[in-house]
Amino acid sequence: MSDTTIRTYSSDRQQTETETESEVESTDETITCPECGGRVVNDEEHGESVCAECGLVVEEDGIDRGPEWRAFDAKEKDNKSRVGAPTTNMMHDKGLSTNIGWQDKDAYGNSLSSSQRQKMQRLRKWNERFRTRNSKERNLKQALGEIERMASALGLPKKVRETASVIYRRALSEDLLPGRSIEGVATSALYAAARQMQTPRSIDEVANVSRIDEMEFKRTYRYIVRELGLEVAPADPASYVPRFASELDLPDEVERRARELLDNAKEDGVTSGKSPVGLAAAAIYASSLLTNHKVTQSEVSDVTDVSEVTIRNRYQELLEATEVAA
DNA sequence: ATGGTTTTTACTGCGTC
DNA sequence: GACGCGGTAAAAACCAT
């Protein structure tokens, strides 16, 4: 039950380990027959794996994931494919419902007669009403709008918005909303999503673009993380570095050096329990000194929202850690 | 509610430009 | 004298129990 709260930075090991796991998916062509040791071949047509030597059926009912039709040229392939636009969680109906175009034009691009135009107006109106009929749908629609707005204000990629949408949907479907504001849950979903996607924004930053105050945001965030059992690993300090560096107009060199410092510190274990944002800020500062691209503590403090005192403390520790390591 | 840890606030002294 | 920096003490915030 740790790691679910905002500020449990302790278990630093997190990611990095799981990434290198699925490397070599064994090529299943090299299976040998358990009976005679002969080569096993795939018989796609019958969905079986058969031993080429003795005919033993090693595996039945394989699934053919390919299309069931055949195409002999590009045109036929286009015709027979039945795939459309991908669904997206970013729209409240996953982009599956019908929209009636807003232009009063028919399929040939001609303008509509006035009676036709009025008819289309009515159809549009009703279509819209049905589309967002019940309260949950409307709720969702508004929340996704909010998520969209905040995400773009924070410059978060689509992936994060998608994830945030998914989290929000889950919260909604598990009835976590009553008693909590849409804003709050939307904000929390976005914050969690940003962290899960390795592009974290600090609580302050998120709170700044949200319409709710910070206290409520944190409360709500804790709540939904707990209720949804979201796995949000402590943010990696390094993931803040590039953003801060660019906000301070520092060259790549500083960024690289900052990463090294953080790596060393992590080895030393001095990062455990400390605020990732603080560490990132300190790393930037320390790195700027080491690379002769000096920025002042207060400048770093300004863009990172970390107090100068914290920067001082952290950067001493960072330097010590690298001294010892080097 | 409480205690332990971390961060922030506020303030002071030192050296430099 | 303003500024950047380092340090300290007390307050506040936070997490866990």
Side-chain angles (χ1 to χ4, degrees):
Chain A
M1 238 337 229
S2 66
D3 290 0
T4 60
T5 43
I6 295 189
R7 256 247 225 119
T8 305
Y9 319 126
S10 321
S11 56
D12 271 353
R13 297 285 163 264
Q14 37 153 170
Q15 262 71 20
T16 51
E17 319 233 321
T18 52
E19 282 173 18
T20 48
E21 259 180 289
S22 56
E23 278 179 357
V24 247
E25 199 74 271
S26 62
T27 46
D28 41 16
E29 299 303 322
T30 53
I31 305 172
T32 50
C33 174
E35 284 292 309
C36 63
R39 196 167 55 89
V40 172
V41 295
N42 273 328
D43 182 345
E44 296 283 355
E45 198 169 334
H46 297 104
E48 296 169 343
S49 296
V50 186
C51 174
E53 306 290 324
C54 62
L56 177 75
V57 176
V58 181
E59 202 173 77
E60 292 182 278
D61 295 331
I63 297 172
D64 181 0
R65 290 187 173 76
E68 86 287 14
W69 42 262
R70 289 194 296 168
F72 298 97
D73 57 34
K75 196 176 151 207
E76 246 185 358
K77 194 173 173 192
D78 282 346
N79 280 335
K80 288 180 175 174
S81 293
R82 288 184 298 268
V83 268
T87 64
T88 169
N89 278 306
M90 285 158 63
M91 289 190 225
H92 74 106
D93 49 17
K94 307 197 179 192
L96 286 177
S97 67
T98 302
N99 270 319
I100 300 179
W102 53 274
Q103 305 115 341
D104 286 312
K105 298 277 177 67
D106 64 15
Y108 302 102
N110 302 320
S111 297
L112 264 48
S113 68
S114 79
S115 68
Q116 285 284 9
R117 218 168 21 236
Q118 284 179 14
K119 187 176 173 187
M120 290 310 291
Q121 293 284 10
R122 283 199 303 279
L123 283 174
R124 261 198 290 273
K125 185 184 286 176
W126 279 102
N127 186 50
E128 191 65 16
R129 285 183 186 169
F130 278 116
R131 217 151 65 87
T132 59
R133 191 167 17 176
N134 60 53
S135 66
K136 277 194 178 175
E137 289 287 291
R138 261 184 280 122
N139 182 325
L140 193 53
K141 200 177 171 186
Q142 192 194 332
L144 296 184
E146 268 309 296
I147 289 175
E148 193 67 23
R149 184 184 63 80
M150 292 186 289
S152 86
L154 291 168
L156 288 166
K158 196 154 129 198
K159 219 170 46 171
V160 174
R161 282 176 280 169
E162 280 274 3
T163 312
S165 306
V166 174
I167 294 175
Y168 192 89
R169 273 170 201 282
R170 279 192 57 205
L172 194 60
S173 69
E174 307 209 356
D175 281 326
L176 299 182
L177 266 296
R180 253 152 288 273
S181 68
I182 294 175
E183 300 281 341
V185 180
T187 311
S188 307
L190 184 65
Y191 175 71
R195 282 180 57 172
Q196 285 187 332
M197 293 298 108
Q198 308 296 306
T199 47
R201 293 293 180 272
S202 70
I203 293 186
D204 295 288
E205 290 174 293
V206 179
N208 273 335
V209 299
S210 171
R211 296 187 209 278
I212 64 164
D213 64 275
E214 204 173 310
M215 283 284 288
E216 188 187 345
F217 163 37
K218 288 182 207 173
R219 260 212 320 279
T220 313
Y221 173 72
R222 269 195 293 266
Y223 176 77
I224 72 161
V225 166
R226 182 160 39 86
E227 292 303 312
L228 256 41
L230 291 179
E231 293 196 15
V232 185
D236 182 357
S239 54
Y240 289 102
V241 170
R243 199 155 46 85
F244 291 158
S246 87
E247 278 182 55
L248 288 163
D249 286 323
L250 291 169
D252 292 349
E253 190 190 355
V254 180
E255 206 177 307
R256 261 202 318 280
R257 202 79 175 80
R259 283 183 198 285
E260 286 174 31
L261 290 170
L262 288 172
D263 280 345
N264 289 334
K266 202 182 285 182
E267 304 257 319
D268 245 44
V270 292
T271 64
S272 183
K274 306 298 197 304
S275 158
V277 198
L279 285 162
I284 292 276
Y285 176 70
S287 168
S288 82
L289 292 184
L290 294 173
T291 53
N292 288 325
H293 292 96
K294 191 155 151 47
V295 284
T296 66
Q297 293 178 355
S298 66
E299 284 175 297
V300 179
S301 172
D302 272 350
V303 311
T304 58
D305 280 316
V306 175
S307 76
E308 297 174 39
V309 180
T310 307
I311 294 176
R312 280 201 282 276
N313 293 334
R314 285 304 92 75
Y315 106 89
Q316 300 280 19
E317 292 166 15
L318 289 181
L319 291 181
E320 274 176 38
T322 40
E323 291 297 313
V324 177

